[in-house]
């Protein structure tokens, strides 16, 4: 976790996504990207120029993924600088596991991006998409905490099967190989699910 036994650039780098509100900021920007043409009414003009629904959809997904990369990298840089400057230590024992950890963190952020893009395709209203995209990550933590209390099984944690839960599990320098691999699987599954649902909704809906 952020407040580990040592404080340095590496510790803050791997923990940055939790403490920079990157997910909330991403929710707002991705919602704006994916809903702006519907809100302004320009989507019909885009289709009238011969662009297909899938071309428009994947162009939005591509831009959203690029923005996700920017948000993630900026969060990492900010965390690393803060940790290195305030504790005057960049950290020791840098290894390939740190790289794997960061790659999976990025993929989990892409999973959130895929979810926000899907919500935008369903709602098509900027305000509604922003609100829901912010509310879901926040309320899911509360809901899953209640479920864990009700289940009362130390071998089961529903957060392990949700995006944020895996981000929390691996955003620290002590993340294990199994936690990182589990996060990778969760990221791939959610990216696939939300992207396929987005494609299905985009093909079925009216402009």
């Amino acid at each position: 976790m952020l407040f580990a036994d040592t404080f340095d650039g590496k510790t803050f780098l791997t923990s940055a996504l939790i403490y920079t509100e990157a997910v909330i900021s991403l929710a707002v920007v991705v919602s704006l990207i994916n809903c702006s043409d519907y809100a302004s009414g320009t989507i019909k003009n885009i289709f009238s120029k011969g662009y297909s629904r899938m071309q428009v959809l994947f162009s939005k997904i591509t831009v959203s993924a690029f923005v996700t990369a920017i948000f993630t990298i900026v969060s990492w840089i900010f965390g690393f600088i803060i940790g290195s400057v305030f504790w005057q230590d960049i950290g020791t024992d840098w290894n390939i596991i740190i790289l794997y950890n960061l790659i999976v963190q990025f993929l989990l952020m892409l999973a959130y991006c895929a979810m926000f893009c899907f919500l935008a395709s369903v709602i098509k209203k900027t305000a509604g998409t922003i609100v829901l995209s912010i509310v879901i990550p926040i309320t899911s933590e509360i809901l899953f905490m209640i479920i864990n209390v009700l289940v009362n099984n130390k071998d089961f944690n529903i957060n392990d099967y949700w995006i944020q839960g895996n981000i929390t599990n691996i955003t620290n320098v002590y993340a294990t190989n199994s936690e990182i691999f589990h996060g990778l699987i969760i990221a791939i599954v959610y990216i696939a699910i939300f992207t396929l649902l987005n494609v299905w909704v985009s093909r079925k809906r009216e402009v």
Side-chain angles (χ1 to χ4, degrees), residues 56-133:
V56 173
L57 173 63
F58 281 104
S59 67
K60 291 182 178 182
I61 291 175
T62 300
V63 173
S64 298
F66 180 72
V67 169
T68 302
I70 293 175
F71 271 74
T72 304
I73 292 171
V74 168
S75 295
W76 288 338
I77 293 173
F78 179 77
F80 179 72
I81 291 175
I82 292 296
S84 299
V85 170
F86 277 84
W87 277 270
Q88 298 183 351
D89 184 3
I90 66 170
T92 58
D93 193 27
W94 290 82
N95 54 58
I96 194 67
I97 302 301
I98 299 298
L99 177 60
Y100 295 156
N101 189 325
L102 296 179
I103 290 173
V104 175
Q105 286 186 30
F106 173 59
L107 290 174
L108 287 165
M109 289 293 286
L110 282 180
Y112 262 133
C113 174
M115 183 184 78
F116 299 148
C117 289
F118 167 67
L119 291 175
S121 290
V122 172
I123 301 172
K124 296 191 290 187
K125 301 293 184 181
T126 304
T129 302
I130 290 175
V131 170
L132 198 57
S133 296

Side-chain angles (χ1 to χ4, degrees), residues 140-141 144-145 148 157-162 164-166 169:
S140 62
E141 294 188 58
F144 292 161
M145 181 178 64
N148 284 329
N157 186 345
I158 194 171
N159 285 296
D160 292 339
Y161 304 95
W162 176 236
Q164 188 60 45
N166 282 269
N169 287 341

Side-chain angles (χ1 to χ4, degrees), residues 30-57:
V30 170
S31 298
L32 290 172
I33 291 171
N34 286 268
C35 295
S36 59
D37 49 11
Y38 288 101
S40 63
T42 58
I43 189 66
K44 292 184 178 180
N45 293 332
I46 294 173
F47 287 143
S48 68
K49 294 180 180 180
Y51 295 103
S52 68
R53 292 174 184 267
M54 292 301 99
Q55 286 177 315
V56 173
L57 173 63

